[in-house]
Each structure stands twice: as structure tokens, then as C-alpha cells.
């Protein structure tokens, strides 16, 4: 197991633009495996490479429908809008209501370098947009309409 430390808000690497991956190499395969193991260990539904300090365009997502490991993901179309609740493994203790496209189409490479094209809606669409934002140094707090601390709400 290679579970990495997840960088927290305030770390400058989270605000940088990640670089495209030119080819799938053993290092990239290892990165995807490490991302997945770190995401599952933290009980997250998504993780982007910059969150473990690697400025490469690679993400993993699992919203309960199986693992998606994507390299150089790009949103090629967006439809509709939905406001939903989000948190982030890099910003523990904070949640926000974030408007996102309701449906997206994403183009990427899979872990073997094969071009893949997927259509997503609901939580998967949200998670993909959240993780792809990380590759551009954008965090959900930048897009949130309202932010709150869930544990404070529970005390009321
Ligand atoms: Ni996040």
C-alpha cells in the first residue's frame, strides 16, 4: 500500500496548474494506483494528483460505481445546472453548496492510455468537475455559494 499524505488548504501546490501527461509510463501507472489507495484510505469519492503533491493531470473517482482512473481528463460538454453539497479531502471540516453542470461529457485516457469518452450526471458529474478543477488549481470554496462547518450545525 502506498497511502500518501493529502495536502491541505494553504499548500501552494493546490493552487498550481498541473501539467499534461505525455504518455502512460510505469510511473504514471504507479501514480494512479497511489491516488486510488490514498482516496480509499481517506474514504473520499475522488482525488486529484496535485492533492498528493504531484502536478500531473491525473484523477481518480469512485462514487460507488467502481474506480475511474483518468489521465488528461477534459470536459468537452456541459449541460444544465445543479447546486449540491461538496467537501474536499484537502479542506477537512468545511462543506459548501456548489453550483455545477448537471451533466458533463469527459474525454480522457484510461490507465492503459486508451482514449475514453464518458457521459456523467448526478454525483459522478459533480465529482468529475471537482477533481478536474483541482488540476487547474481551483477548489470548491472558489465556486461555493455558501460555506459551513457541518460539525457546528450538528451541535445546534
Ligand atoms: Ni477536492
Amino acid at each position: 500500500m502506498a497511502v500518501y499524505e493529502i495536502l491541505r488548504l494553504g499548500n501552494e501546490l493546490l493552487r498550481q496548474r498541473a501539467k499534461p501527461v505525455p504518455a502512460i509510463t510505469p510511473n504514471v501507472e504507479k501514480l494512479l494506483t497511489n491516488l486510488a489507495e490514498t482516496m480509499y484510505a481517506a474514504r473520499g469519492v475522488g482525488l486529484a494528483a496535485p492533492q498528493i503533491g504531484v502536478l500531473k493531470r491525473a484523477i481518480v473517482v469512485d462514487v460507488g460505481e467502481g474506480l475511474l482512473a483518468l489521465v488528461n481528463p477534459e470536459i468537452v460538454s456541459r449541460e444544465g445546472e445543479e447546486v449540491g453539497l461538496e467537501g474536499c479531502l484537502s479542506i477537512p471540516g468545511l462543506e459548501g453548496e456548489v453550483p455545477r453542470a448537471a451533466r458533463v461529457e469527459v474525454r480522457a485516457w484510461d490507465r492503459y492510455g486508451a482514449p475514453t469518452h464518458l457521459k456523467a450526471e448526478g454525483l459522478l458529474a459533480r465529482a468529475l468537475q471537482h477533481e478536474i478543477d483541482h488540476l487547474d488549481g481551483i477548489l470548491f470554496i472558489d465556486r461555493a455559494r455558501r460555506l459551513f462547518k457541518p460539525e457546528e450545525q450538528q451541535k445546534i
Side-chain angles (χ1 to χ4, degrees):
M1 283 276 285
V3 172
Y4 280 67
E5 187 193 335
I6 297 174
L7 304 184
R8 297 280 179 95
L9 181 66
N11 190 305
E12 217 178 282
L13 290 176
L14 292 175
R15 290 307 199 171
Q16 291 182 24
R17 206 177 141 79
K19 294 201 171 72
V21 176
I24 302 292
T25 60
N27 271 347
V28 174
E29 288 173 27
K30 203 190 287 176
L31 169 63
L32 294 170
T33 302
N34 293 341
L35 276 173
E37 289 179 353
T38 304
M39 173 185 72
Y40 288 125
R43 298 170 191 274
V45 298
L47 194 67
Q51 291 180 277
I52 60 168
V54 178
L55 290 174
K56 289 183 177 163
R57 302 188 79 82
I59 63 170
V60 292
V61 170
D62 187 343
V63 297
E65 299 164 5
L67 176 64
L68 275 176
L70 302 176
V71 174
N72 299 328
E74 242 182 290
I75 295 172
V76 293
S77 84
R78 309 163 194 266
E79 255 181 45
E81 192 194 84
E82 258 174 28
V83 178
L85 212 56
E86 283 181 37
C88 179
L89 293 173
S90 293
I91 314 174
L94 203 62
E95 288 186 356
E97 289 171 358
V98 185
R100 298 280 188 189
R103 290 168 297 282
V104 292
E105 281 184 55
V106 172
R107 239 184 249 152
W109 293 347
D110 69 12
R111 64 183 304 131
Y112 308 104
T116 139
H117 181 245
L118 58 110
K119 290 182 179 184
E121 56 182 20
L123 182 58
L124 181 58
R126 180 168 296 279
L128 286 166
Q129 291 171 82
H130 177 119
E131 300 313 328
I132 292 170
D133 265 356
H134 271 298
L135 303 179
D136 294 321
I138 298 167
L139 303 174
F140 83 92
I141 53 174
D142 305 336
R143 299 195 187 276
R145 286 186 181 163
R146 195 168 77 88
L147 288 167
F148 55 90
K149 296 183 176 174
E151 65 271 30
E152 278 185 10
Q153 288 212 331
Q154 282 165 11
K155 283 181 197 156
I156 295 170

